[in-house]
Amino acid sequence: MRPDGGDPEPDDYGLPRVDVVVPDDARELERDVAAYHRERRRRRRRARARRLYRPLTRFGVAVPIIAGALLVALLSGVLMTAFGPRPAPRPTTAQLAPRPTASPGRVGGLLPDRRVDLVTAAAPPSPCGTCAPA
């Protein structure tokens, strides 16, 4: 006899006694089978959702935000490099007037390479580059 007050006959494997009702017809188990399949589908959906959302729950929302920011930075850098403005070539020497509209010595043209006289009593004639008002 078992100490828990179960079945007076000892079990061969020491398992507890289970009350099992076996129906006469398999159609009586149809609702139980449908409930079993619903439960299995629910478990599969939950496992799939857990597998998809696991990266979000493990590290929080930080990882997707950082990944998105890096993706935007990379994409904008590539687009700015590919479609950005092209630098203009620099002239080799600085030109005073690249396209004068008149001949030298005239209005709109370059100054002639001559001496310029300043009309003052104290200043002697000097070349153009050293002209300074008194």
Side-chain angles (χ1 to χ4, degrees):
M1 184 156 202
R2 288 188 359 203
D4 62 348
D7 190 26
E9 297 179 24
D11 190 5
D12 293 339
Y13 302 105
L15 297 174
R17 186 173 187 278
V18 179
D19 292 329
V20 177
V21 177
V22 178
D24 294 332
D25 190 6
R27 288 179 291 186
E28 294 177 20
L29 295 175
E30 190 172 335
R31 286 186 0 212
D32 294 334
V33 170
Y36 171 76
H37 287 295
R38 274 193 310 268
E39 183 179 334
R40 294 288 295 168
R41 282 192 303 267
R42 186 180 314 124
R43 283 185 184 168
R44 282 195 306 264
R45 277 193 304 265
R46 286 183 181 165
R48 189 178 315 129
R50 255 186 267 121
R51 196 169 51 243
L52 288 174
Y53 294 121
R54 185 175 298 143
L56 296 176
T57 58
R58 187 177 354 164
F59 297 110
V61 187
V63 170
I65 288 176
I66 292 172
L70 287 175
L71 182 67
V72 167
L74 178 72
L75 185 64
S76 64
V78 166
L79 289 176
M80 286 173 45
T81 302
F83 300 114
R86 302 277 184 240
R90 294 186 176 190
T92 55
T93 60
Q95 298 177 352
L96 295 176
R99 293 181 202 92
T101 57
S103 63
R106 305 262 181 213
V107 175
L110 296 173
L111 290 175
D113 189 20
R114 311 265 168 139
R115 286 194 174 278
V116 176
D117 291 332
L118 295 176
V119 184
T120 61
S126 61
C128 258
T130 61
C131 293

